[in-house]
């Protein structure tokens, strides 16, 4: 659960498909913008990663318990998804003892101005394309992709709530294919879209004044949602280890020949003795084979001892017969 030490008793969580999402720490933390406001907001920000699953609905839950110091008339909240404000609920002080708020979708018109239809949030896979026709929208798509993949929840101390006129309903853009260059190598896998209207809800619109100013919320919770594969590529969660190589045992030195016939046992024993050299420490050699050499093969003639008789060599022959040696005696 995402909690902020500076604001005890307040927590915000993301639930996917009815289950609280496991959170993973962001080791880099919130980058601080130079200046007093930037440093203040960085100190009040909690960042977590959560796993997103294609076509699964999700909600954001805020919880207060008795340890929370409710020292103002109301708390005004703002939920942003993919860089767009989608809901702005107000929490009244009467809920200071214990309170849970689920924000599970966007309210859309039901036609009578007093009620609304709720369309649930869901994760949708980002579809990419290499179609050059989509390059004409790459600037707009790149700006949108920079904001995709983040759920942000901000909370301010606020004044008493006053009724005001209803404003236009918020909508989220539907999923569309973007050129792969629009992601610029970012490990982002999903965007947020809306499901079909699931139920009718009441609609009350109020306004509050932020007591400390719009730049000074008491807490900011950010959830970066990614697929499991993207979380692994970012080293947020450990990669699945490669399976160990299968161990193939070598042949056993012990051979059980008790189940063989006597003749087979003798053959096996003789074979093993030959392999291991167990018969007197040596292997019986097979019959040697002498190689017959051709009389004309180099080195095939054995040197004979001179018998002492003279040998006459004819040097008057034709030059083509220089190799011939003729014994005259």
């Amino acid at each position: 659960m995402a909690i902020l030490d500076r604001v005890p008793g307040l927590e915000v969580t993301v639930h996917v498909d009815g289950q609280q999402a496991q959170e993973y720490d962001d080791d880099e933390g919130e980058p601080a913008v130079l200046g007093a406001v930037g440093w203040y907001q960085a100190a009040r920000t909690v960042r977590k990663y959560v796993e997103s699953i294609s076509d699964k609905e999700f909600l954001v839950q805020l919880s207060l318990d008795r340890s929370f110091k409710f020292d103002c008339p109301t708390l005004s909240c703002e939920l942003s998804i993919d860089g767009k404000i989608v809901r702005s609920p107000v929490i009244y002080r009467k809920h200071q003892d214990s309170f849970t708020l689920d924000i599970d979708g966007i309210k859309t018109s039901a036609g009578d101005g007093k009620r609304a239809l709720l369309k649930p949030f869901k994760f949708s896979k980002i579809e990419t394309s290499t179609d050059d026709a989509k390059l004409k929208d790459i600037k707009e798509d790149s700006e949108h992709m920079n904001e995709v993949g983040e759920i942000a929840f901000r909370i301010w101390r606020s004044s008493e709530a006053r009724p005001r006129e209803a404003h236009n309903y918020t909508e989220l853009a539907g999923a569309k294919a973007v050129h792969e260059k629009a992601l610029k190598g970012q490990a982002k896998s999903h965007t947020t879209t809306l499901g079909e209207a699931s139920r009718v809800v009441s609609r009350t619109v109020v306004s509050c004044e932020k007591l400390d100013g719009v730049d000074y919320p008491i807490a900011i919770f950010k959830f970066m949602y990614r697929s499991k594969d993207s979380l692994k590529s970012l080293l947020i969660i450990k990669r699945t280890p490669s399976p160990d190589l299968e161990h193939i045992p070598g042949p056993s030195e012990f051979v059980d020949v008790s189940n063989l016939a006597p003749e087979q046992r003798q053959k096996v024993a003789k074979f093993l003795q030959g392999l291991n050299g167990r018969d007197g420490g040596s292997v019986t050699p097979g019959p040697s084979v002498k190689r017959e050499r051709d009389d004309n093969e180099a080195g095939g003639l054995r040197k004979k001892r001179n018998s002492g008789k003279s040998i006459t060599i004819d040097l008057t022959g034709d030059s083509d017969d220089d190799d011939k040696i003729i014994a005259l005696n």
Side-chain angles (χ1 to χ4, degrees):
M1 62 188 71
I3 57 176
L4 187 64
D5 293 337
R6 293 174 178 268
V7 189
L10 169 65
E11 68 178 40
V12 177
T13 53
V14 174
H15 295 242
V16 181
D17 198 27
Q19 300 293 323
Q20 182 174 327
Q22 182 174 349
E23 297 173 359
Y24 304 94
D25 291 332
D26 176 18
D27 295 334
E28 295 182 0
E30 177 71 6
V33 179
L34 292 179
V37 172
W39 290 111
Y40 173 88
Q41 291 188 3
R44 297 274 176 163
T45 300
V46 178
R47 289 168 58 96
K48 299 287 184 180
Y49 278 95
V50 294
E51 180 185 348
S52 54
I53 304 173
S54 297
D55 301 320
K56 295 298 183 182
E57 295 181 3
F58 71 92
L59 62 83
V60 179
Q61 184 180 89
L62 175 143
S63 299
L64 300 176
D65 64 27
R66 292 183 178 181
S67 63
F68 177 73
K69 185 180 179 181
F70 211 132
D71 59 355
C72 52
T74 64
L75 296 174
S76 57
C77 307
E78 182 181 274
L79 174 63
S80 299
I81 299 179
D82 296 346
K84 188 171 187 177
I85 300 173
V86 294
R87 291 282 297 275
S88 301
V90 174
I91 303 171
Y92 295 86
R93 192 170 183 175
K94 63 182 180 181
H95 300 303
Q96 61 181 328
D97 288 341
S98 181
F99 179 73
T100 298
L101 171 67
D102 290 343
I103 307 176
D104 54 356
I106 286 179
K107 295 178 179 181
T108 61
S109 175
D112 59 6
K114 296 181 179 179
R115 296 181 302 168
L117 297 174
L118 188 78
K119 291 184 176 181
F121 301 127
K122 72 173 184 177
F123 295 122
S124 294
K125 183 179 178 181
I126 297 175
E127 299 292 344
T128 59
S129 171
T130 57
D131 184 0
D132 289 344
K134 295 188 178 297
L135 289 174
K136 62 182 178 65
D137 300 322
I138 194 168
K139 182 178 180 180
E140 179 183 347
D141 290 341
S142 296
E143 292 174 353
H144 178 58
M145 287 296 112
N146 287 336
E147 297 181 326
V148 159
E150 182 181 271
I151 300 168
F153 198 92
R154 295 173 173 83
I155 306 163
W156 290 265
R157 297 171 62 252
S158 300
S159 64
E160 295 284 354
R162 300 183 302 275
R164 72 175 180 85
E165 292 185 5
H167 53 75
N168 295 331
Y169 289 94
T170 303
E171 284 289 346
L172 283 176
K176 68 173 185 176
V178 298
H179 198 280
E180 62 183 9
K181 290 183 179 180
L183 285 172
K184 298 179 180 178
Q186 301 178 87
K188 294 185 177 182
S189 55
H190 292 92
T191 184
T192 296
T193 58
L194 299 175
E196 295 297 325
S198 56
R199 65 181 188 273
V200 177
V201 294
S202 61
R203 188 190 190 202
T204 303
V205 181
V206 297
S207 64
C208 302
E209 180 183 352
K210 296 176 175 62
L211 298 178
D212 303 312
V214 68
D215 292 331
Y216 295 93
I218 62 172
I220 303 172
F221 297 89
K222 292 185 177 181
F223 300 92
M224 283 67 69
Y225 60 87
R226 305 287 189 273
S227 68
K228 181 173 288 187
D229 287 341
S230 294
L231 292 174
K232 289 180 180 179
S233 70
L234 292 168
L235 303 181
I236 302 300
I237 61 178
K238 293 182 179 179
R239 294 178 181 272
T240 304
S242 301
D244 294 334
L245 294 177
E246 182 180 358
H247 174 67
I248 302 176
S252 173
E253 293 185 0
F254 175 74
V255 180
D256 184 6
V257 296
S258 60
N259 295 326
L260 300 178
E263 183 180 352
Q264 293 174 321
R265 288 201 298 270
Q266 290 178 1
K267 290 182 178 180
V268 171
K270 186 175 181 180
F271 174 74
L272 293 177
Q273 287 173 358
L275 288 178
N276 298 324
R278 292 179 180 173
D279 188 9
S282 64
V283 179
T284 304
S288 60
V289 179
K290 291 184 178 179
R291 182 183 174 206
E292 294 185 1
R293 296 179 180 269
D294 191 348
D295 288 343
N296 293 325
E297 183 176 350
L301 296 177
R302 182 177 296 178
K303 242 182 211 181
K304 293 184 179 180
R305 183 177 295 176
N306 194 336
S307 62
K309 296 181 179 181
S310 62
I311 299 174
T312 302
I313 301 175
D314 184 5
L315 301 177
T316 62
D318 189 76
S319 63
D320 290 340
D321 296 326
D322 285 346
D323 329 0
K324 294 181 180 179
I325 300 176
I326 303 174
L328 301 179
N329 294 340

